[in-house]
């Protein structure tokens, strides 16, 4: 467990050096991975999942992926955009008349 | 005669996820739209979802595969007893 703390500390410090603002760090638990992953000449079966809320410029992404790729303790890395919570207006299935479907409409 | 919109129309049919936010992290929800034998994603004619939600679900499932949240070739056996959302007969 102190190793995971050290890994997290390292990554967060590296992020802050590049000028990212860390908003939140969540631990999604430690569980057995869905499939065995080989990384850095080792087959991994269990892993801890962490989610870091970031605010940063997009030029940080590639150097950070490089940096995290070189770290042996990190099995998989990924950057995802913050999902904009907008799905409140789902108005249900609008029935389409079959004539519209038949008329060849290619957008 | 006064022309007005049909007052006896039923409200538009909603699909199963019509209000629920889809996230790549909740593997349980995503696994309900995946075959337990092959792990392949069900098409729109099986899940009965609207356009938007089907797209969101496929994208979230692919993301979960790559990030290591969900298995690719099969469905997690712990999630086998979930309620059935898709109309598929085995």
């Amino acid at each position: 467990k102190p190793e995971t703390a050290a890994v997290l500390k390292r990554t967060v410090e590296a992020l802050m050096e590049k000028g990212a603002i860390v908003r939140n760090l969540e631990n999604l638990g430690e569980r057995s991975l869905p499939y065995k992953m080989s990384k850095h000449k080792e087959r991994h079966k269990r892993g801890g999942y962490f989610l870091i809320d970031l605010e940063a410029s997009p030029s940080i992404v590639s150097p950070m992926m490089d940096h995290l790729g070189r770290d042996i303790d990190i099995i998989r890395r990924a950057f995802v955009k913050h999902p904009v919570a907008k799905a409140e207006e789902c108005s249900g299935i609008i029935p389409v008349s079959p004539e519209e479907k038949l008329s060849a409409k290619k957008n | 005669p006064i022309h007005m919109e049909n007052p006896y129309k039923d409200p538009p049919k909603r699909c199963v996820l019509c209000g629920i936010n889809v996230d790549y992290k909740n593997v349980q929800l995503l696994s309900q739209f995946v075959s337990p034998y092959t792990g392949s994603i069900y098409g729109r004619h099986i899940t009965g979802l609207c356009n938007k939600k089907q797209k969101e679900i496929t994208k979230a499932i692919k993301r979960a595969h790559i990030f290591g949240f969900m298995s690719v070739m099969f469905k997690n056996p712990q999630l086998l007893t979930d309620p059935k959302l898709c109309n598929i007969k085995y």
Side-chain angles (χ1 to χ4, degrees), chain A residues 33-39 42-44 75-76, chain B residues 67-68:
Chain A
L33 302 171
Y35 41 91
K36 294 179 253 189
M37 303 183 197
S38 31
K39 193 78 194 175
E42 245 188 52
R43 292 270 272 186
H44 299 272
I75 307 177
R76 216 159 261 206
Chain B
F67 294 165

Side-chain angles (χ1 to χ4, degrees), chain B residues 6-38:
Chain B
N6 185 1
Y8 298 106
K9 242 190 206 170
D10 348 286
K13 272 189 274 203
R14 311 189 71 98
C15 67
V16 186
L17 296 182
C18 237
I20 302 171
N21 202 11
V22 169
D23 206 6
Y24 66 92
K25 287 174 233 135
N26 59 355
V27 179
Q28 203 172 24
L29 170 66
L30 262 38
S31 298
Q32 287 179 312
F33 298 101
V34 162
S35 160
Y37 299 107
T38 55

Side-chain angles (χ1 to χ4, degrees), chain A:
Chain A
K1 242 192 77 175
E3 298 129 4
T4 39
V7 171
L8 283 170
K9 214 171 142 186
R10 257 186 285 153
T11 39
V12 172
E13 275 172 9
L15 283 161
M16 301 221 284
E17 257 183 83
K18 311 258 166 152
I21 308 176
V22 177
R23 261 187 275 179
N24 198 6
L25 167 57
E26 281 164 18
N27 179 0
L28 305 163
E30 186 191 310
R31 26 187 157 148
S32 57
L33 302 171
Y35 41 91
K36 294 179 253 189
M37 303 183 197
S38 31
K39 193 78 194 175
H40 295 115
K41 304 176 189 163
E42 245 188 52
R43 292 270 272 186
H44 299 272
K45 286 194 214 170
R46 286 195 70 89
Y49 291 77
F50 293 94
L51 176 67
I52 307 184
D53 249 334
L54 270 221
E55 221 176 272
S57 83
S59 53
I60 297 186
V61 172
S62 330
M64 269 323 288
M65 292 292 263
D66 261 356
H67 185 269
L68 295 171
R70 270 176 255 137
D71 195 339
I72 330 172
D73 293 317
I74 297 184
I75 307 177
R76 216 159 261 206
R77 59 213 195 270
F79 279 88
V80 169
K81 274 204 294 198
H82 219 288
V84 186
K86 205 205 150 198
E88 311 288 344
E89 319 159 357
C90 190
S91 58
I93 309 176
I94 306 169
V96 181
S97 73
E99 290 139 352
E100 280 179 21
K101 274 198 200 170
L102 280 178
S103 67
K105 247 206 310 188
K106 277 208 175 168
N107 297 17

Side-chain angles (χ1 to χ4, degrees), chain B residues 32-86:
Chain B
Q32 287 179 312
F33 298 101
V34 162
S35 160
Y37 299 107
T38 55
S40 48
I41 311 177
Y42 287 141
R44 197 166 309 173
H45 54 290
I46 302 179
T47 60
L49 294 172
C50 40
N51 215 337
K52 274 195 286 187
K53 285 295 167 182
Q54 178 77 22
K55 213 48 188 303
E56 276 182 32
I57 286 252
T58 27
K59 291 227 119 176
I61 292 180
K62 301 237 97 184
R63 262 193 184 168
H65 285 165
I66 296 178
F67 294 165
F69 281 100
M70 192 157 98
S71 9
V72 188
M73 306 282 330
F74 53 86
K75 193 159 127 166
N76 195 345
Q78 287 174 339
L79 305 172
L80 272 184
T81 47
D82 284 342
K84 244 175 45 153
L85 291 183
C86 318

